Amino acid sequence: MVSTHTTLGGFSFDNCLMNAAGVWCMTKEELAGVKDSAAGTFVTKTATLDYRAGNPEPRYQNVPLGSINSMGLPNQGLAYYLDYLLELQETEPERTFVLSLVGMSPDETHTILKQVEASDFKGLTELNLSCPNVPGKPQIAYDFETTEAILHEVFTYFTKPLGIKLPPYFDIVHFDQAAAIFNQFPLAFVNCVNSIGNGLYIEDEQVVIKPKNGFGGIGGEYIKPTALANVHAFYQRLKPEIQIVGTGGVLTGRDAFEHILCGASMVQIGTTLQKEGLSAFERITNELKAIMKEKGYESLDDFRGKLRYIED
């Protein structure tokens, strides 16, 4: 019997597929849609302490091989998502969901995490380190000194299962340096990757999104090779108790299979979910199961991380 059951952070999920933060997760209604689909769970929109309207429209655009966006962290605020998750713990206590969050400053990040720590929330928390934080500074996870300082302080008070959402890295030495930092901490998972930052897409001599004069994060087919590289690089480098969530370029069951082959325990779907809707979960799950059946794999453990290399 072929199964896509998986575990993450000590929790079990019937299916390894879920949404990526930013897609089908802004409202309770959207989250309920993912919850009731073929997905194994959902992750909320990355929450800041207070409501944010985000960047001016148009800020997202589907393009032939993916998408480009500069959303500006629009969200309903931490309390909105946390209250909904606490409601679900009462009505569906057998299921586990993921709360994504980040502060607009390191201090706000700690304020948010301390609120989650003090709450009755029993699921997984994802700290989004792939957001710009301070004007003139790079994304948090590209600033290794700041990343290490934030995580060091976080784990002085945060005791619940915590993972981090990462931007893509492009240099082997950066994989080494980042992994050396992450291995110092009791992280439940790392999520690889967020969109490739600051791409530019042009139609009729004009950019297609308004913020930042058209510069935005690239998702979809464009980024699968980069996402797979990050998944596998961290699978090779992180201590075994830090699991990998694979995100980027998942259009088909084959794409999900390759993320798992590279070491992912769960796989998130973003641009494809935005374009296709909730039916994408069932389609991709069925395609993944068909590949597993054809290859004689009954569980994800049969092939997770078992990417083959070309030997001399």
Side-chain angles (χ1 to χ4, degrees), residues 1-5 292 296-304:
M1 191 70 179
V2 172
S3 171
T4 57
H5 173 274
M292 291 171 63
Y297 298 140
E298 294 185 354
S299 73
L300 305 187
D301 290 337
D302 291 342
F303 65 98
R304 180 184 295 109

Side-chain angles (χ1 to χ4, degrees), residues 146-206:
T146 298
T147 295
E148 185 170 5
I150 288 174
L151 291 176
H152 186 271
E153 184 169 347
V154 163
F155 284 108
T156 64
Y157 61 82
F158 200 81
T159 62
K160 297 180 179 185
L162 179 71
I164 51 177
K165 177 74 172 282
L166 298 175
Y169 296 102
F170 302 98
D171 197 300
I172 296 297
V173 71
H174 292 154
F175 292 132
D176 294 338
Q177 291 170 338
I181 293 169
F182 303 151
N183 280 329
Q184 297 176 42
F185 302 103
L187 290 165
F189 65 89
V190 299
N191 185 347
C192 309
V193 294
N194 207 332
S195 56
I196 295 178
N198 294 314
L200 195 63
Y201 194 87
I202 298 167
E203 287 181 350
D204 297 325
E205 302 182 31
Q206 180 175 290

Side-chain angles (χ1 to χ4, degrees), residues 20-59:
V23 185
W24 276 90
C25 58
M26 179 68 78
T27 65
K28 296 176 184 178
E29 291 75 19
E30 288 182 340
L31 290 167
V34 178
K35 175 180 69 71
D36 296 334
S37 74
T41 185
F42 66 66
V43 58
T44 67
K45 186 76 178 69
T46 297
T48 51
L49 187 59
D50 300 310
Y51 167 86
R52 282 178 59 87
N55 288 337
E57 303 277 3
R59 58 193 185 188

Side-chain angles (χ1 to χ4, degrees), residues 151-272:
L151 291 176
H152 186 271
E153 184 169 347
V154 163
F155 284 108
T156 64
Y157 61 82
F158 200 81
T159 62
K160 297 180 179 185
L162 179 71
I164 51 177
K165 177 74 172 282
L166 298 175
Y169 296 102
F170 302 98
D171 197 300
I172 296 297
V173 71
H174 292 154
F175 292 132
D176 294 338
Q177 291 170 338
I181 293 169
F182 303 151
N183 280 329
Q184 297 176 42
F185 302 103
L187 290 165
F189 65 89
V190 299
N191 185 347
C192 309
V193 294
N194 207 332
S195 56
I196 295 178
N198 294 314
L200 195 63
Y201 194 87
I202 298 167
E203 287 181 350
D204 297 325
E205 302 182 31
Q206 180 175 290
V207 299
V208 296
I209 58 173
K210 183 175 182 179
K212 296 168 62 177
N213 290 329
F215 283 74
I218 302 296
E221 286 182 74
Y222 295 109
I223 77 167
K224 190 180 84 164
T226 297
L228 293 179
N230 277 257
V231 168
H232 196 57
F234 283 114
Y235 183 78
Q236 292 173 307
R237 287 165 174 78
L238 294 178
K239 55 189 180 183
E241 52 267 41
I242 302 178
Q243 292 175 274
I244 315 290
V245 176
T247 307
V250 179
L251 281 72
T252 68
R254 177 73 195 186
D255 301 324
F257 178 86
E258 290 177 4
H259 269 275
I260 298 160
L261 187 69
C262 286
S265 292
M266 293 198 79
V267 177
Q268 293 187 346
I269 303 172
T271 297
T272 297

